[in-house]
Short mmCIF file of all heavy atoms in Angstrom, two decimals:
data_model
loop_
_atom_site.label_atom_id
_atom_site.label_comp_id
_atom_site.label_asym_id
_atom_site.label_seq_id
_atom_site.Cartn_x
_atom_site.Cartn_y
_atom_site.Cartn_z
N ARG A 1 -17.35 20.14 -5.18
CA ARG A 1 -16.07 20.67 -4.72
C ARG A 1 -15.22 19.63 -4.00
O ARG A 1 -14.08 19.90 -3.62
CB ARG A 1 -16.32 21.86 -3.79
CG ARG A 1 -17.04 23.00 -4.51
CD ARG A 1 -17.33 24.14 -3.55
NE ARG A 1 -16.13 24.59 -2.90
CZ ARG A 1 -16.10 25.28 -1.75
NH1 ARG A 1 -17.23 25.54 -1.13
NH2 ARG A 1 -14.97 25.67 -1.23
N ALA A 2 -15.77 18.43 -3.80
CA ALA A 2 -15.00 17.37 -3.15
C ALA A 2 -15.52 16.02 -3.64
O ALA A 2 -16.71 15.87 -3.95
CB ALA A 2 -15.11 17.45 -1.63
N PHE A 3 -14.64 15.05 -3.73
CA PHE A 3 -15.05 13.69 -4.04
C PHE A 3 -14.19 12.73 -3.24
O PHE A 3 -13.08 13.07 -2.82
CB PHE A 3 -14.95 13.38 -5.54
CG PHE A 3 -13.55 13.41 -6.10
CD1 PHE A 3 -12.80 12.23 -6.20
CD2 PHE A 3 -12.97 14.59 -6.55
CE1 PHE A 3 -11.51 12.25 -6.72
CE2 PHE A 3 -11.68 14.62 -7.06
CZ PHE A 3 -10.95 13.45 -7.15
N ARG A 4 -14.74 11.55 -3.01
CA ARG A 4 -13.99 10.53 -2.28
C ARG A 4 -13.20 9.69 -3.28
O ARG A 4 -13.77 8.97 -4.09
CB ARG A 4 -14.93 9.63 -1.47
CG ARG A 4 -14.18 8.71 -0.50
CD ARG A 4 -15.15 7.92 0.37
NE ARG A 4 -15.81 6.85 -0.37
CZ ARG A 4 -16.94 6.26 0.02
NH1 ARG A 4 -17.55 6.65 1.13
NH2 ARG A 4 -17.48 5.29 -0.69
N GLY A 5 -11.88 9.81 -3.19
CA GLY A 5 -11.02 9.05 -4.07
C GLY A 5 -10.50 7.79 -3.39
O GLY A 5 -10.93 7.42 -2.29
N SER A 6 -9.58 7.13 -4.05
CA SER A 6 -8.95 5.92 -3.52
C SER A 6 -7.54 6.24 -3.07
O SER A 6 -6.86 7.08 -3.68
CB SER A 6 -8.91 4.82 -4.58
OG SER A 6 -10.21 4.49 -5.02
N PRO A 7 -7.07 5.61 -2.00
CA PRO A 7 -5.69 5.86 -1.55
C PRO A 7 -4.69 5.29 -2.54
O PRO A 7 -5.00 4.34 -3.28
CB PRO A 7 -5.63 5.13 -0.21
CG PRO A 7 -6.64 4.03 -0.34
CD PRO A 7 -7.76 4.59 -1.19
N PRO A 8 -3.51 5.85 -2.59
CA PRO A 8 -2.48 5.28 -3.47
C PRO A 8 -2.13 3.87 -3.02
O PRO A 8 -2.21 3.55 -1.83
CB PRO A 8 -1.30 6.24 -3.29
CG PRO A 8 -1.53 6.90 -1.98
CD PRO A 8 -3.01 6.99 -1.81
N PRO A 9 -1.74 2.99 -3.96
CA PRO A 9 -1.38 1.62 -3.57
C PRO A 9 -0.18 1.65 -2.63
O PRO A 9 0.80 2.34 -2.90
CB PRO A 9 -1.05 0.94 -4.90
CG PRO A 9 -0.78 2.05 -5.85
CD PRO A 9 -1.61 3.21 -5.41
N PRO A 10 -0.25 0.93 -1.52
CA PRO A 10 0.85 0.97 -0.55
C PRO A 10 2.10 0.25 -1.07
O PRO A 10 2.00 -0.77 -1.74
CB PRO A 10 0.27 0.26 0.68
CG PRO A 10 -0.77 -0.66 0.12
CD PRO A 10 -1.34 0.05 -1.08
N PHE A 11 3.23 0.83 -0.76
CA PHE A 11 4.53 0.21 -1.04
C PHE A 11 4.72 -0.10 -2.52
O PHE A 11 5.30 -1.12 -2.90
CB PHE A 11 4.71 -1.05 -0.19
CG PHE A 11 4.38 -0.86 1.25
CD1 PHE A 11 3.29 -1.50 1.82
CD2 PHE A 11 5.13 0.00 2.04
CE1 PHE A 11 2.96 -1.30 3.15
CE2 PHE A 11 4.81 0.21 3.38
CZ PHE A 11 3.73 -0.44 3.93
N ALA A 12 4.18 0.79 -3.37
CA ALA A 12 4.34 0.61 -4.82
C ALA A 12 5.82 0.65 -5.18
O ALA A 12 6.60 1.42 -4.62
CB ALA A 12 3.57 1.69 -5.57
N GLY A 13 6.20 -0.17 -6.13
CA GLY A 13 7.58 -0.20 -6.60
C GLY A 13 8.45 -1.23 -5.92
O GLY A 13 9.54 -1.54 -6.40
N LEU A 14 8.00 -1.75 -4.78
CA LEU A 14 8.78 -2.78 -4.10
C LEU A 14 8.50 -4.15 -4.72
O LEU A 14 7.42 -4.38 -5.28
CB LEU A 14 8.41 -2.82 -2.61
CG LEU A 14 8.79 -1.61 -1.76
CD1 LEU A 14 8.31 -1.83 -0.32
CD2 LEU A 14 10.28 -1.36 -1.78
N PRO A 15 9.44 -5.07 -4.61
CA PRO A 15 9.17 -6.44 -5.05
C PRO A 15 7.98 -7.02 -4.29
O PRO A 15 7.66 -6.60 -3.18
CB PRO A 15 10.46 -7.19 -4.71
CG PRO A 15 11.51 -6.12 -4.62
CD PRO A 15 10.80 -4.89 -4.13
N SER A 16 7.34 -8.02 -4.89
CA SER A 16 6.13 -8.60 -4.32
C SER A 16 6.32 -9.06 -2.89
O SER A 16 5.49 -8.79 -2.02
CB SER A 16 5.66 -9.76 -5.19
OG SER A 16 4.53 -10.39 -4.61
N TRP A 17 7.44 -9.75 -2.61
CA TRP A 17 7.63 -10.29 -1.26
C TRP A 17 7.80 -9.18 -0.24
O TRP A 17 7.34 -9.30 0.90
CB TRP A 17 8.84 -11.23 -1.22
CG TRP A 17 10.18 -10.56 -1.37
CD1 TRP A 17 10.86 -10.32 -2.53
CD2 TRP A 17 10.99 -10.05 -0.31
NE1 TRP A 17 12.04 -9.67 -2.28
CE2 TRP A 17 12.16 -9.51 -0.92
CE3 TRP A 17 10.87 -9.99 1.08
CZ2 TRP A 17 13.18 -8.91 -0.17
CZ3 TRP A 17 11.89 -9.41 1.81
CH2 TRP A 17 13.02 -8.88 1.19
N GLN A 18 8.43 -8.07 -0.66
CA GLN A 18 8.59 -6.94 0.26
C GLN A 18 7.25 -6.24 0.52
O GLN A 18 6.98 -5.79 1.64
CB GLN A 18 9.61 -5.95 -0.29
CG GLN A 18 11.05 -6.45 -0.20
CD GLN A 18 12.05 -5.38 -0.59
OE1 GLN A 18 11.70 -4.40 -1.25
NE2 GLN A 18 13.30 -5.57 -0.19
N ARG A 19 6.42 -6.13 -0.54
CA ARG A 19 5.09 -5.53 -0.35
C ARG A 19 4.27 -6.33 0.64
O ARG A 19 3.61 -5.76 1.52
CB ARG A 19 4.35 -5.43 -1.69
CG ARG A 19 4.86 -4.36 -2.63
CD ARG A 19 3.82 -3.99 -3.67
NE ARG A 19 3.32 -5.14 -4.41
CZ ARG A 19 3.89 -5.64 -5.50
NH1 ARG A 19 5.00 -5.09 -5.97
NH2 ARG A 19 3.37 -6.67 -6.11
N LYS A 20 4.32 -7.66 0.52
CA LYS A 20 3.56 -8.51 1.45
C LYS A 20 4.09 -8.36 2.87
O LYS A 20 3.31 -8.27 3.83
CB LYS A 20 3.65 -9.97 1.00
CG LYS A 20 2.92 -10.26 -0.30
CD LYS A 20 3.09 -11.72 -0.71
CE LYS A 20 2.37 -12.00 -2.02
NZ LYS A 20 2.56 -13.41 -2.45
N LEU A 21 5.42 -8.32 3.02
CA LEU A 21 6.01 -8.17 4.34
C LEU A 21 5.64 -6.82 4.95
O LEU A 21 5.22 -6.74 6.12
CB LEU A 21 7.53 -8.31 4.26
CG LEU A 21 8.31 -8.05 5.56
CD1 LEU A 21 7.90 -9.06 6.62
CD2 LEU A 21 9.81 -8.10 5.30
N MET A 22 5.77 -5.76 4.17
CA MET A 22 5.48 -4.43 4.68
C MET A 22 3.99 -4.25 4.99
O MET A 22 3.62 -3.56 5.94
CB MET A 22 5.95 -3.36 3.69
CG MET A 22 7.46 -3.26 3.55
SD MET A 22 8.28 -2.95 5.14
CE MET A 22 7.61 -1.35 5.56
N THR A 23 3.15 -4.90 4.18
CA THR A 23 1.71 -4.83 4.44
C THR A 23 1.37 -5.50 5.77
O THR A 23 0.56 -4.99 6.56
CB THR A 23 0.92 -5.51 3.30
OG1 THR A 23 1.18 -4.80 2.08
CG2 THR A 23 -0.57 -5.49 3.59
N THR A 24 2.02 -6.63 6.06
CA THR A 24 1.81 -7.31 7.33
C THR A 24 2.27 -6.43 8.49
O THR A 24 1.57 -6.28 9.51
CB THR A 24 2.57 -8.65 7.37
OG1 THR A 24 2.10 -9.48 6.30
CG2 THR A 24 2.37 -9.36 8.70
N VAL A 25 3.44 -5.83 8.35
CA VAL A 25 3.96 -4.94 9.38
C VAL A 25 3.01 -3.76 9.58
O VAL A 25 2.72 -3.36 10.71
CB VAL A 25 5.37 -4.44 9.01
CG1 VAL A 25 5.83 -3.34 9.96
CG2 VAL A 25 6.37 -5.60 9.01
N ASP A 26 2.50 -3.24 8.47
CA ASP A 26 1.63 -2.07 8.53
C ASP A 26 0.31 -2.38 9.24
O ASP A 26 -0.26 -1.52 9.90
CB ASP A 26 1.36 -1.55 7.12
CG ASP A 26 0.70 -0.18 7.11
OD1 ASP A 26 1.40 0.80 7.43
OD2 ASP A 26 -0.50 -0.10 6.80
N HIS A 27 -0.17 -3.61 9.13
CA HIS A 27 -1.39 -4.01 9.84
C HIS A 27 -1.15 -4.01 11.35
O HIS A 27 -2.05 -3.67 12.14
CB HIS A 27 -1.85 -5.39 9.40
CG HIS A 27 -2.60 -5.39 8.11
ND1 HIS A 27 -3.65 -4.53 7.85
CD2 HIS A 27 -2.46 -6.14 6.98
CE1 HIS A 27 -4.12 -4.75 6.63
NE2 HIS A 27 -3.42 -5.72 6.09
#
């Protein structure tokens, strides 16, 4: 009735440099 899945990729759809920037901010 339950399974452990994976989280959606963060900041999908953003350009690569924005994903890296937002990932740093998110940390």
Side-chain angles (χ1 to χ4, degrees):
R1 298 178 55 201
F3 65 94
R4 190 175 74 199
S6 300
F11 312 113
L14 293 179
S16 176
W17 70 270
Q18 287 187 341
R19 287 200 306 273
K20 292 178 181 178
L21 175 62
M22 292 303 297
T23 298
T24 300
V25 171
D26 192 72
H27 280 311

